[in-house]
Amino acid sequence: MAEYKGIERRLVFRLLDYWEKKKDGRKMPSLDDIKASELGDDWDWCFLILLGDEDESATFHYIGSLIWPNDRSPLVGKEVSASPDESLVKQATRFMPRVLELGVPVSVGGECSDGGDKLLYRSTLMPLSSDDEFVDALFGGANCRKVMNK
């Protein structure tokens, strides 16, 4: 078994570390601080959500091809609440109210179904703010592995 050196093996921890570095002395980074070019292969497991004003719903601004495959109906520009119940992205976004209430990252894991597969997953959802006071976007990521039937 190869030993990992210098890089955290779990996506969730890598993303949390990235978010922490991007804070740069603030409570939270902004949407503009999150750069695909800095996240490498992890970017395909990530998503960005824009939060509307009080009367508007949260919508997907970006969603990676590994968390939401390209052969599915596009979710960018769609309301987060419209994501299918039986999906990894639904599990990864279901703690939005908690992140908004606390203003801190929330990470969860568990089992879900997606595309007919049973999955074990880990996800994280982190607040973003353009004024370092009000959360106006979210940065998240999730990855998984199939559960083999015995």
Side-chain angles (χ1 to χ4, degrees):
M1 180 181 210
E3 185 178 336
Y4 260 87
K5 291 190 179 186
I7 186 168
E8 170 56 53
R9 292 185 331 154
R10 292 190 181 166
L11 171 76
V12 168
F13 292 136
R14 289 193 307 270
L15 294 180
L16 285 167
D17 185 52
Y18 179 78
W19 182 87
E20 278 292 330
K21 287 176 182 165
K22 288 299 185 172
K23 283 176 24 178
D24 195 29
R26 299 168 291 170
K27 286 190 255 180
M28 60 192 105
S30 72
L31 178 64
D32 291 339
D33 292 324
I34 308 302
K35 308 279 188 225
S37 60
E38 297 172 344
L39 287 159
D41 293 340
D42 289 344
W43 185 241
D44 288 330
W45 290 106
C46 294
F47 56 91
L48 294 167
I49 295 170
L50 299 179
L51 303 177
D53 295 329
E54 288 183 33
D55 297 338
E56 298 174 5
S57 297
T59 58
F60 285 108
H61 179 65
Y62 166 80
I63 189 160
S65 62
L66 292 175
I67 192 170
W68 189 256
N70 293 329
D71 62 353
R72 295 183 180 176
S73 161
L75 285 180
V76 172
K78 302 261 170 56
E79 292 183 8
V80 173
S81 59
S83 54
D85 287 339
E86 294 288 315
S87 67
L88 178 58
V89 74
K90 182 63 138 195
Q91 295 306 308
T93 58
R94 67 187 175 118
F95 287 92
M96 278 179 34
R98 186 116 173 105
V99 174
L100 295 174
E101 175 190 336
L102 299 175
V104 298
V106 173
S107 296
V108 296
E111 255 185 42
C112 71
S113 294
D114 192 335
D117 294 320
K118 191 172 205 169
L119 307 174
L120 282 177
Y121 74 93
R122 288 185 194 275
S123 67
T124 189
L125 196 55
M126 300 159 280
L128 302 172
S129 176
S130 55
D131 64 5
D132 205 32
E133 191 162 330
F134 296 102
V135 177
D136 51 22
L138 297 168
F139 170 46
N143 65 353
C144 60
R145 68 175 173 85
K146 287 183 187 179
V147 176
M148 298 299 175
N149 294 330
K150 295 181 181 185

